[in-house]
């Protein structure tokens, strides 16, 4: 096993980029009842914090309690704690920087990158802080955490990254199971699909005798009297490669948290704006109490039908990015207010969608029979609890709901607009800096809008829906535009997109959605919808500036992406960045001088690395290259062609020696800290809800969490 060559690449950001999630005017505009509804769902979201921490690493929950014990012992007076501990100003600042990044990521692995980060201060600083606060020391002892757990796992460098245990990586989706294999996990997934037992709210444990326990998140320790989602049985005999082994369903994972969450959800239901919202809260409470994902799916159907609410919410086990098998989901909770002015542009995009989808590079055979116009809103976020805050969301992720009922898109306005002062912008050439800075927010909003609505919102999975029944003509299958031959692969009964494509499905789908955004942002009628230009093609006007900036931004992100590729495990740690790297490679391979990387080289090292794009060739060379790549991504996904999809995506995301040894060191040298958000709290007093905001500082971040009481 290799030692870690340079631990400094894992240091916490110093200083972290801290920005406030500003929301007060939008919250203040709510009625008292709407504020109570928002408050209780916000409390439910934050009460899931310990679930997220347990989903990240064995030590995360203990480190969380340690940080808050230090704060509470000195009532947030850090200089007094510093004196008591006898540590330097720098040591205190390094610890607070680490604590801020920890709280911003809900754990000690980056929410965006899945690699561990460690304090810059020495272990003696943590020891001194623990000695100064007996409660903090007690927290570590009770959690069975040594101070070394804060730092690099030098004997097992693979555990600095999340991933499959049999590949040497760390995951707590498979707790106490060091010898569980990827193959066993996939075998259990196939068995669960047969039993129609959904995986999102589960963890899987391999016992010492070689059997398996499926841990189901629920507020009750036993299945409901009528039985769980798979019926009354709780022990199953496995077959195939696991013949002779058993799978036992064990209820009550995260039992304390989910019981509290279900109570808050019921209180939210008492303040719901309409019957549909109340029914939605009832289904949430049933799901979190009993562990039923069938009930959760009912909540999502109601959520999709709850069009245009003033307070938008979604909560539960949603995204599967961090499970190495890509099937188990992280706890997440959203509460936000609709920005009606910005929502108008997105609604126009929804209205235009039926005329835009045919412009994509595939026939109707690979598209839903009818486009279900979704609710698409711009939101101002009050609460987003999870390992990070996205810029946009397209959910639910259940394909049957998406195809039969629809989905919702949201753009998170106060996340998109949040900026730190004097933020550096590496890899953009000085000649492009003015146009980039003037247009990057608008370009990103266009990209997010198209990505969520027409990226994630398009495509039809060709499937045998049940034995002998198909959602396409099996006697005359559609021609693949990639091969010009009839398709030969499709989804079998019970299979889903993620169950077939497995661990790389999340990144692959993000790449497909990003490519849709790159292709359709070249359409000036879409740019006009967002308020740029008059709809006519004009690369030299404002719309052209926005389009050029969008392509520059994607190329820049592709360069920055190699930070999230680990040279020791040769593994990507972030789905979106892996996707953006492949799109940059598409730009560079387009030819005709469309794209290049410029850099000076001295003593074998690159410097002054910048991206160069020919603005005049975006509509021709650039768009053509993106659409050719997109067509393959889309058709392979629609037809369950795992082998072709895997081969394509591995080729396009392969990091060769030049990228690994020349570009990556320069990217690490110039990387900028990812933003962490200080969020407000809501406080209920005598039936009224007040908003409390905090300073965008390390101290403010810790205080906000200390006062949440979770």
């Amino acid at each position: 096993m290799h030692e870690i060559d340079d631990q400094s690449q894992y240091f916490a950001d110093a200083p972290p980029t801290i920005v406030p999630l500003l929301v007060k005017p939008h919250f203040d505009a709510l009625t008292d009842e709407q504020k109570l509804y928002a408050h209780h769902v916000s409390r439910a979201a934050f009460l899931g914090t310990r679930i997220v921490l347990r989903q990240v690493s064995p030590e995360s929950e203990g480190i969380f309690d340690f940080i808050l014990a230090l704060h509470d012992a000195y009532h947030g007076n850090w200089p007094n704690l510093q004196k008591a501990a006898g540590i330097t100003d720098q040591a205190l600042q390094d610890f607070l920087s680490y604590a801020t990044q920890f709280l911003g990521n809900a754990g000690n692995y980056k929410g965006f990158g899945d690699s561990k980060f460690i304090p810059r201060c020495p272990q003696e600083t943590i020891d001194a802080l623990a000695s100064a606060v007996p409660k903090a020391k007690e927290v570590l002892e009770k959690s069975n955490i040594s101070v070394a757990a804060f730092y690099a796992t030098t004997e097992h460098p693979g555990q600095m990254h999340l991933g499959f245990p049999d590949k040497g990586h760390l995951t707590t989706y498979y707790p106490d199971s060091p010898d569980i294999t990827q193959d066993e996990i996939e075998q259990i997934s196939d068995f669960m699909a047969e039993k129609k037992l959904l995986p999102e709210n589960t963890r899987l444990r391999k016992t010492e005798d070689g059997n398996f326990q499926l841990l189901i998140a629920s507020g009750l320790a036993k299945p409901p009297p009528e039985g769980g989602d798979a019926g009354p049985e709780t022990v199953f005999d496995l077959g195939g490669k696991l013949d002779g082994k058993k799978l036992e369903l064990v209820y009550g994972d995260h039992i304390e948290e989910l019981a509290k969450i279900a109570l808050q959800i019921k209180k939210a239901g008492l303040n719901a704006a309409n019957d549909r919202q109340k029914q939605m809260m009832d289904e949430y409470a049933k799901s979190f109490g009993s562990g039923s994902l069938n009930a959760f799916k009912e909540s999502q159907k109601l959520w999709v039908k709850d069009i245009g609410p003033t307070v938008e919410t979604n909560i539960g086990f949603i995204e599967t990015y961090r499970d190495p098998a890509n099937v188990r989901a992280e706890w997440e909770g959203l509460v936000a207010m609709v920005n009606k002015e910005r929502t108008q542009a997105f609604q126009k995009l929804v209205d235009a969608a039926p005329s835009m989808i045919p412009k994509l590079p595939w026939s109707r055979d690979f598209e839903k029979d009818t486009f279900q116009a979704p609710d698409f809103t711009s939101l101002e976020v009050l609460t987003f609890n999870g390992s990070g805050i996205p810029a946009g969301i397209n959910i639910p992720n259940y394909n049957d709901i998406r195809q039969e009922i629809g989905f919702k898109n949201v753009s998170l306005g106060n996340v998109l607009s949040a900026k730190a002062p004097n933020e550096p912008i590496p890899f953009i050439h000085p000649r492009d800096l003015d146009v980039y800075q003037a247009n990057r927010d608008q370009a990103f909003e266009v990209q997010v809008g198209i990505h969520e609505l027409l990226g994630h919102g398009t495509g039809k999975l060709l499937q045998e829906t049940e034995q002998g029944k198909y959602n396409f003509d099996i006697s005359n299958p559609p021609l693949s535009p990639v091969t010009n031959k009839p398709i030969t692969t499709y989804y079998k009964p019970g299979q889903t997109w993620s169950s077939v494509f497995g661990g790389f499905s999340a990144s692959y789908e993000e790449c497909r959605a990003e490519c849709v955004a790159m292709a359709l942002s070249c359409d000036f009628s879409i740019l006009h919808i967002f308020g740029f230009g008059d709809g006519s093609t004009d690369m030299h006007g404002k719309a052209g500036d926005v389009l050029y900036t969008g392509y520059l931004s994607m190329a820049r992100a592709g360069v920055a992406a190699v930070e999230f590729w680990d040279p020791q495990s040769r593994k990507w740690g972030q789905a979106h960045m892996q996707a953006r790297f492949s799109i940059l490679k598409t730009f560079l391979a387009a030819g005709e001088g469309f794209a290049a990387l410029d850099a000076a080289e001295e003593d074998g090292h690159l410097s002054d690395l910048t991206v160069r794009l020919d603005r005049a060739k975006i509509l021709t060379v650039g768009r053509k290259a993106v659409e050719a790549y997109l067509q393959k991504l889309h058709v392979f996904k629609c037809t369950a062609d795992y082998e072709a999809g895997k081969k394509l995506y591995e080729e396009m995301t392969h990091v060769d020696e030049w990228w690994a040894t020349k570009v990556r060191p320069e990217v690490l040298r110039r990387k900028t800290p990812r933003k962490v958000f200080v969020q407000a709290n809501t406080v209920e007093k005598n039936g009224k809800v007040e908003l409390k905001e905090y300073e965008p500082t390390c101290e403010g971040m810790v205080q906000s969490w200390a006062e949440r009481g979770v």
Side-chain angles (χ1 to χ4, degrees):
M1 184 68 74
H2 295 293
E3 290 284 318
I4 296 173
D5 297 328
D6 179 13
Q7 290 189 27
S8 66
Q9 66 182 297
Y10 297 108
F11 280 159
D13 295 329
T17 300
I18 308 169
V19 292
L21 201 57
L22 299 172
V23 76
K24 186 170 172 50
H26 302 278
F27 184 79
D28 287 348
L30 299 178
T31 66
D32 287 347
E33 194 170 37
Q34 288 167 344
K35 286 177 181 177
L36 279 164
Y37 179 69
H39 165 71
H40 288 300
V41 183
S42 173
R43 287 299 301 156
F46 280 129
L47 283 166
T49 298
R50 291 180 182 276
I51 299 175
V52 183
L53 293 164
R54 285 178 211 134
Q55 290 177 315
V56 174
S57 72
E59 65 272 9
S60 281
E61 192 174 2
I63 294 173
F64 177 79
D65 287 330
F66 177 78
I67 292 167
L68 298 192
L70 295 178
H71 173 278
D72 293 349
Y74 283 82
H75 307 289
N77 190 323
W78 294 96
N80 281 358
L81 172 58
Q82 178 189 349
K83 286 175 195 167
I87 60 174
T88 65
D89 290 352
Q90 187 62 54
L92 176 65
Q93 195 52 54
D94 285 344
F95 176 76
L96 284 172
S97 293
Y98 172 79
T100 297
Q101 191 167 346
F102 179 96
L103 296 170
N105 287 270
N108 62 339
Y109 284 71
K110 291 179 181 177
F112 196 85
D114 288 352
S115 61
K116 189 174 185 178
F117 55 91
I118 61 178
R120 290 172 180 262
C121 55
Q123 291 194 26
E124 289 77 15
T125 299
I126 309 293
D127 283 326
L129 290 167
S131 297
V133 178
K135 176 76 186 295
K137 191 168 190 174
E138 183 186 317
V139 159
L140 294 182
E141 288 168 354
K142 274 190 177 176
S143 306
N144 200 24
I145 294 172
S146 70
V147 171
F150 287 70
Y151 292 89
T153 50
T154 51
E155 292 179 13
H156 304 285
Q159 294 194 0
M160 296 297 287
H161 300 267
L162 300 180
F164 286 109
D166 61 338
K167 302 290 191 293
H169 303 302
L170 182 90
T171 176
T172 47
Y173 285 98
Y174 307 92
D176 312 314
S177 308
D179 63 342
I180 196 169
T181 67
Q182 181 176 347
D183 188 48
E184 289 170 332
I185 292 166
E186 289 168 358
Q187 293 288 317
I188 299 283
S189 291
D190 291 343
F191 178 82
M192 289 174 65
E194 281 175 30
K195 295 291 179 185
K196 294 186 166 51
L197 193 58
L198 294 167
E200 286 84 3
N201 68 342
T202 68
R203 296 194 290 170
L204 181 65
R205 176 188 289 142
K206 185 178 181 181
T207 60
E208 288 183 5
D209 57 9
N211 291 308
F212 299 88
Q213 292 179 328
L214 191 70
L215 311 182
I216 297 174
S218 63
L220 299 172
K222 294 179 180 177
E226 68 275 16
D229 287 351
E233 286 181 81
T234 58
V235 179
F236 299 90
D237 292 315
L238 298 169
K241 294 180 183 177
L242 300 177
D243 191 34
K245 302 299 181 186
K246 293 184 183 296
L247 176 68
E248 179 190 6
L249 309 189
V250 179
Y251 287 79
D253 202 17
H254 316 300
I255 187 167
E256 287 185 27
E257 289 75 25
L258 283 160
K260 293 175 184 175
I261 287 165
L263 178 60
Q264 289 295 329
I265 289 294
K266 286 174 183 173
K267 288 182 177 179
L270 298 175
N271 295 280
N274 53 54
D275 287 343
R276 184 168 279 148
Q277 279 185 6
K278 187 178 184 316
Q279 289 169 16
M280 180 172 73
M281 292 296 136
D282 287 344
E283 294 293 348
Y284 276 136
K286 181 180 176 184
S287 174
F288 302 148
S290 71
S292 169
L293 282 176
N294 289 340
F296 182 72
K297 285 183 74 173
E298 290 304 312
S299 77
Q300 297 305 279
K301 291 174 187 176
L302 291 159
W303 180 71
V304 172
K305 293 175 182 176
D306 186 29
I307 302 296
T310 302
V311 179
E312 184 62 280
T313 64
N314 201 277
I315 189 168
F317 296 88
I318 311 287
E319 300 291 357
T320 62
Y321 297 121
R322 305 191 88 184
D323 168 23
N326 241 243
V327 295
R328 296 180 165 81
E330 184 174 87
W331 174 264
E332 183 177 290
L334 163 72
V335 184
M337 283 68 71
V338 173
N339 182 325
K340 292 179 180 174
E341 185 182 345
R342 288 309 303 152
T343 293
Q344 288 177 355
F346 291 120
Q347 191 51 52
K348 288 177 185 173
L349 184 64
V350 171
D351 295 341
S355 65
M356 294 297 166
I357 292 171
K359 297 179 182 182
L360 292 165
W362 51 81
S363 69
R364 291 184 62 180
D365 295 315
F366 301 95
E367 198 49 69
K368 296 181 186 74
D369 298 333
T370 55
F371 177 73
Q372 301 268 14
D375 200 19
F376 198 160
T377 50
S378 178
L379 302 181
E380 304 296 325
V381 177
L382 167 67
T383 298
F384 197 105
N385 197 28
S387 61
I389 308 181
I393 306 171
N394 175 292
I395 48 177
N397 291 323
Y398 297 105
N399 196 61
D400 55 339
I401 298 178
R402 296 172 70 83
Q403 298 210 140
E404 293 163 20
I405 295 173
F407 54 89
K408 278 189 187 181
N409 291 283
V410 299
S411 172
L412 306 184
N414 55 344
V415 176
L416 280 165
S417 62
K419 269 195 214 63
N422 305 315
E423 202 173 6
I425 306 171
F427 317 124
I428 296 294
H429 194 279
R431 67 174 169 264
D432 290 322
L433 206 51
D434 286 347
V435 71
Y436 184 85
Q437 287 181 306
N439 295 282
R440 65 175 173 170
D441 286 357
Q442 295 100 317
F444 194 36
E445 187 173 48
V446 171
Q447 179 193 332
V448 168
I450 301 173
H451 172 115
E452 299 297 347
L453 176 67
L454 299 167
H456 293 314
T458 53
K460 175 182 179 179
L461 303 187
L462 303 184
Q463 185 158 27
E464 183 181 7
T465 52
E466 54 185 272
Q467 198 70 37
K469 290 190 176 179
Y470 302 83
N471 65 358
F472 65 99
D473 187 352
I474 189 67
S475 63
N476 183 27
L479 288 179
S480 163
V482 178
T483 64
N484 287 319
K485 295 177 182 175
I487 65 150
T488 57
T489 55
Y490 49 85
Y491 292 86
K492 305 297 189 292
Q495 288 185 331
T496 64
W497 151 243
S498 58
S499 73
V500 172
F501 278 71
F504 71 97
S505 60
S507 181
Y508 187 106
E509 171 59 12
E510 292 304 331
C511 186
R512 194 186 68 84
E514 292 282 45
C515 285
V516 170
M518 288 293 98
L520 289 183
S521 62
C522 293
D523 194 298
F524 279 72
S525 61
I526 282 188
L527 294 170
H528 178 54
I529 286 170
F530 282 90
F532 311 121
D534 59 8
S536 61
T537 301
D538 179 10
M539 281 303 296
H540 303 291
K542 175 66 177 178
D545 285 348
V546 171
L547 172 58
Y548 179 51
T549 301
Y551 267 70
L552 272 179
S553 185
M554 181 59 71
R556 174 180 175 268
V559 173
V562 289
E563 173 195 342
F564 300 93
W565 177 83
D566 175 50
Q568 289 185 306
S569 63
R570 303 194 74 79
K571 150 182 198 302
W572 283 95
Q574 214 293 318
H576 299 76
M577 298 310 272
Q578 181 179 5
R580 289 162 188 163
F581 177 72
S582 81
I583 296 171
L584 170 60
K585 285 179 74 173
T586 302
F587 290 174
L588 294 171
E592 299 184 45
F594 171 61
L597 298 182
D598 295 331
E601 186 165 351
E602 189 175 335
D603 299 328
H605 299 289
L606 297 183
S607 61
D608 302 322
L609 179 65
T610 57
V611 297
R612 174 161 46 90
L613 294 178
D614 188 335
R615 178 171 174 151
K617 293 178 179 174
I618 289 175
L619 298 180
T620 52
V621 181
R623 183 175 188 173
K624 181 181 174 185
V626 168
E627 287 184 341
Y629 182 34
L630 169 59
Q631 185 184 77
K632 292 177 183 176
L633 290 167
H634 185 81
V635 171
F636 298 157
K637 177 190 175 181
C638 290
T639 58
D641 195 342
Y642 169 79
E643 294 300 334
K646 184 170 186 282
K647 182 173 182 289
L648 170 69
Y649 206 56
E650 284 182 349
E651 273 175 21
M652 293 304 297
T653 62
H654 172 67
V655 178
D656 64 24
E657 285 307 297
W658 183 75
W659 283 100
T661 61
K662 301 285 188 182
V663 178
R664 190 170 184 275
E666 171 69 355
V667 168
L668 290 176
R669 186 180 71 80
R670 296 174 65 190
K671 73 172 182 174
T672 54
R674 188 166 173 79
K675 290 189 278 284
V676 290
F677 292 91
V678 178
Q679 299 185 49
N681 282 324
T682 52
V683 182
E684 183 184 1
K685 291 179 183 174
N686 302 318
K688 303 277 188 184
V689 179
E690 296 174 2
L691 189 76
K692 182 169 183 184
E693 296 186 309
Y694 300 86
E695 289 296 316
T697 61
C698 292
E699 294 84 352
M701 173 68 101
V702 179
Q703 184 187 355
S704 71
W705 278 99
E707 294 184 2
R708 279 184 190 124
V710 297

